Amino acid sequence: SQQGEEDPQALSIQEGENATMNCSYKTSINNLQWYRQNSGRGLVHLILIRSNEREKHSGRLRVTLDTSKKSSSLLITASRAADTASYFCATDPISSGSARQLTFGSGTQLTVLP
Amino acid sequence: DVKVTQSSRYLVKRTGEKVFLECVQDMDHENMFWYRQDPGLGLRLIYFSYDVKMKEKGDIPEGYSVSREKKERFSLILESASTNQTSMYLCASSPTGRRNQPQHFGDGTRLSIL
């Protein structure tokens, strides 16, 4: 079952602009994670935010989490052409077992134009 | 560095064939996962394993089986391949028991069933 839903499905911006992607989910979570996927490759973990955190930074990435609204956003500042990729949110539900299986959304395709 | 290796990047098989997709990880992770990825549907969990010889169904197990005879290796088996199993298959691993751990992905196998 899909828990995370990203918005927008596709985003096209100019190099140097900021890109914001949103994720909504349905159930209570332990954490929410963002992954990046370059075309034809596997997913790479970007950042994890715990349910008791509201904001987290890593380099040019800023993630926010609002558990009352069950939503998260990923902000990429000063985007570069190399940021062109698909971005996925994934939730670790409280109900998941010891394997901590994640539930992924359908992703946002980001295109950064040079 | 964590490494998850999938045996083939591209694979072409015929309808009715038995197909094996192999995944090996070198991090001594207990958990391993198989996903399929289709446009607009994100990642969907097929099967996962939390220990050697242990397996659990994910969201879409029909038509698939798995094998985990050694901790580092997790195999996905298509018992009788059908055209609707044409997809990108992604393997991932993670350590068990600890919350707030990301999954580590292989580069994927793009499987075409003719």
Side-chain angles (χ1 to χ4, degrees):
Chain A
S1 56
Q2 280 197 302
Q3 159 129 275
E5 294 293 335
E6 286 93 338
D7 169 54
Q9 290 187 339
L11 179 61
S12 185
I13 59 173
Q14 295 292 135
E15 207 164 24
E17 292 181 343
N18 295 342
T20 300
M21 288 160 268
N22 302 297
C23 171
S24 60
Y25 59 92
K26 294 175 183 172
T27 63
S28 297
I29 60 173
N30 293 308
N31 64 68
L32 185 143
Q33 305 177 27
W34 285 91
Y35 289 80
R36 167 197 169 121
Q37 183 182 35
N38 288 346
S39 180
R41 305 302 295 268
L43 275 69
V44 175
H45 180 257
L46 294 176
I47 194 166
L48 180 152
I49 186 164
R50 297 182 172 125
S51 60
N52 61 354
E53 297 176 313
R54 292 297 164 258
E55 188 170 313
K56 199 162 183 179
H57 296 253
S58 176
R60 293 185 297 113
L61 304 181
R62 172 178 167 251
V63 170
T64 62
L65 179 64
D66 186 335
T67 53
S68 66
K69 294 181 179 178
K70 292 188 168 58
S71 67
S72 173
S73 67
L74 171 67
L75 169 67
I76 303 174
T77 60
S79 63
R80 306 165 182 168
D83 293 329
T84 294
S86 293
Y87 292 83
F88 295 87
C89 70
T91 51
D92 176 359
I94 286 178
S95 59
S96 77
S98 61
R100 309 242 63 87
Q101 54 268 33
L102 302 176
T103 303
F104 286 83
S106 53
T108 292
Q109 172 61 49
L110 173 66
T111 302
V112 181
L113 303 169
Chain B
D1 233 8
V2 169
K3 188 107 175 118
V4 178
T5 303
Q6 295 184 231
S7 53
S8 306
R9 290 293 307 278
Y10 301 94
L11 205 54
V12 180
K13 296 291 182 181
R14 296 214 171 267
T15 302
E17 282 192 65
K18 191 168 186 176
V19 180
F20 293 85
L21 303 184
E22 306 287 346
C23 176
V24 177
Q25 50 95 3
D26 65 359
M27 293 80 61
D28 203 36
H29 284 168
E30 290 80 7
N31 304 319
M32 296 189 74
F33 308 85
W34 275 107
Y35 298 89
R36 66 176 280 176
Q37 183 179 22
D38 301 289
L41 296 178
L43 276 71
R44 292 180 292 168
L45 182 63
I46 304 171
Y47 266 98
F48 65 97
S49 168
Y50 53 89
D51 202 351
V52 175
K53 296 192 187 296
M54 306 306 290
K55 59 187 179 184
E56 287 207 22
K57 294 179 180 179
D59 298 320
I60 51 163
E62 296 78 20
Y64 303 94
S65 62
V66 290
S67 173
R68 184 112 181 256
E69 295 297 318
K70 293 185 177 181
K71 191 175 187 180
E72 67 270 19
R73 185 178 296 270
F74 192 33
S75 302
L76 180 69
I77 303 155
L78 285 65
E79 297 291 343
S80 177
S82 64
T83 54
N84 63 11
Q85 292 177 310
T86 291
S87 187
M88 174 74 139
Y89 290 88
L90 292 163
C91 174
S93 73
S94 69
T96 199
R98 288 176 282 167
R99 293 183 182 179
N100 305 313
Q101 296 292 322
Q103 291 184 7
H104 301 269
F105 283 81
D107 270 341
T109 295
R110 189 165 293 282
L111 175 65
S112 296
I113 306 297
L114 305 179

